[in-house]
């Protein structure tokens, strides 16, 4: 005779609570990220790998004509649907428009002429103002995506190159240094920091921090410094140990 199957172990209250909340949202076709959870529930939900726990930005593809006039009959309906299903940022765009802009990338004069023509088409429909000036929305899409993912950048600069490094918002200086190399984090001593806006306003055309330092805007930060978007940084570190005998 076969042995009786052992009963399944009971689920924890936290697991059951997380499951019930998530099921209710999914049945309502609502993103999981819009729910309210305890820390314990969050830890459990993370293991499920649900795509709607991620931030969402809705990109709405339109015809070129609809994009120029910044709307069509479907956009309000899409907006209502998004509001009813957890909300989120909506960015209207036109793949046809963006393709034409891209195809003219090597001829800046022709590219600008195309954008001016699109702006004039909007004016002919009685649509004026900054929002109807034709331009690519690719930069906006990139910024929105980074913002939704809580990403920011800092810069390192030297004689050969300037490079941007991507980190999470709230990242401390040692962890930011570790993005460049793990040794930088392990042997972190300090960070010499200048805000990009300060450098832009003060450098006076010189490829150096001299003017920034004269203005008192170049500073030293320690291990508890929270990195800011656009920081220009030099990390000081030392990982050398005592020599083995």
């Amino acid at each position: 005779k076969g042995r009786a199957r052992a009963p399944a172990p009971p689920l924890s209250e936290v697991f059951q609570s997380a499951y019930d909340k998530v099921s209710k949202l999914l049945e309502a076709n609502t993103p999981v990220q819009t729910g309210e959870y305890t820390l314990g529930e969050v830890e459990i939900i993370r293991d499920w790998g649900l795509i709607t726990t991620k931030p969402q930005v809705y990109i709405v593809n339109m015809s070129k004509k609809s994009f120029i006039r910044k709307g069509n009959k479907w956009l309000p309906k899409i907006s209502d649907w998004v509001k009813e299903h957890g909300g989120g940022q909506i960015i209207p765009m036109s793949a046809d428009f963006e393709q034409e802009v891209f195809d003219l990338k090597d001829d800046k004069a022709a590219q600008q002429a195309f954008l001016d023509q699109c702006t004039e088409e909007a004016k002919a429909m009685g649509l004026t103002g900054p929002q109807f000036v034709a331009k690519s929305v690719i930069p906006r899409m990139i910024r929105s995506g980074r913002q939704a993912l809580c990403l920011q950048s800092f810069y390192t600069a030297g004689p050969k190159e300037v490079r941007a490094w991507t980190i999470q918002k709230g990242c401390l200086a040692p962890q930011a240094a570790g993005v460049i190399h793990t040794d930088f984090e392990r042997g972190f001593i300090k960070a010499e920091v200048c805000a990009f806006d300060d450098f832009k306003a003060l450098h006076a055309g010189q490829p150096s921090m001299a003017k920034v330092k004269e203005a008192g805007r170049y500073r030293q930060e320690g291990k508890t410094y929270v990195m800011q978007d656009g920081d220009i940084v030099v990390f000081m570190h030392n990982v050398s140990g005592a020599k083995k005998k």
Side-chain angles (χ1 to χ4, degrees), residues 136-150:
S136 171
V137 297
I138 299 299
R140 181 186 172 194
M141 290 165 60
I142 294 171
R143 289 193 300 269
S144 297
R146 285 170 59 86
Q147 184 177 8
L149 294 171
C150 296

Side-chain angles (χ1 to χ4, degrees), residues 10-91:
L11 299 174
S12 70
E13 291 184 6
V14 177
F15 186 98
Q16 189 64 56
S17 175
Y19 179 84
D20 291 342
K21 290 180 179 180
V22 168
S23 295
K24 184 176 180 180
L25 289 169
L26 293 178
E27 288 169 2
N29 201 20
T30 302
V32 173
Q33 64 155 327
T34 61
E36 296 184 2
Y37 309 100
T38 66
L39 291 176
E41 291 168 347
V42 169
E43 292 301 318
I44 290 172
I45 293 170
R46 280 177 178 170
D47 292 337
W48 296 344
L50 302 174
I51 193 170
T52 60
T53 59
K54 307 296 183 183
Q56 297 178 65
V57 177
Y58 294 88
I59 309 298
V60 180
N61 188 27
M62 312 165 72
S63 68
K64 176 183 169 184
K65 183 177 180 180
S66 294
F67 178 73
I68 289 173
R69 64 189 182 191
K70 298 296 184 289
N72 60 20
K73 65 179 181 179
W74 302 110
L75 203 56
K77 297 179 181 180
I78 293 172
S79 178
D80 290 341
W81 185 92
V82 170
K83 290 177 182 177
E84 293 169 2
H85 293 81
Q89 185 178 8
I90 300 173
I91 301 179

Side-chain angles (χ1 to χ4, degrees), residues 127-203:
L127 306 172
T128 59
Q131 68 271 32
F132 295 106
V133 175
K135 59 183 178 181
S136 171
V137 297
I138 299 299
R140 181 186 172 194
M141 290 165 60
I142 294 171
R143 289 193 300 269
S144 297
R146 285 170 59 86
Q147 184 177 8
L149 294 171
C150 296
L151 298 177
Q152 64 184 37
S153 295
F154 71 91
Y155 302 95
T156 55
K160 294 184 178 180
E161 69 171 4
V162 174
R163 183 164 177 177
W165 305 85
T166 300
I167 55 176
Q168 290 286 138
K169 289 183 179 180
C171 184
L172 299 181
Q175 286 69 56
V179 173
I180 301 174
H181 196 287
T182 54
D183 283 351
F184 285 23
E185 180 177 0
R186 185 161 58 91
F188 180 89
I189 298 173
K190 65 180 179 180
E192 295 184 349
V193 185
C194 164
F196 172 79
D197 288 340
D198 289 338
F199 178 76
K200 182 179 179 181
L202 299 168
H203 71 85

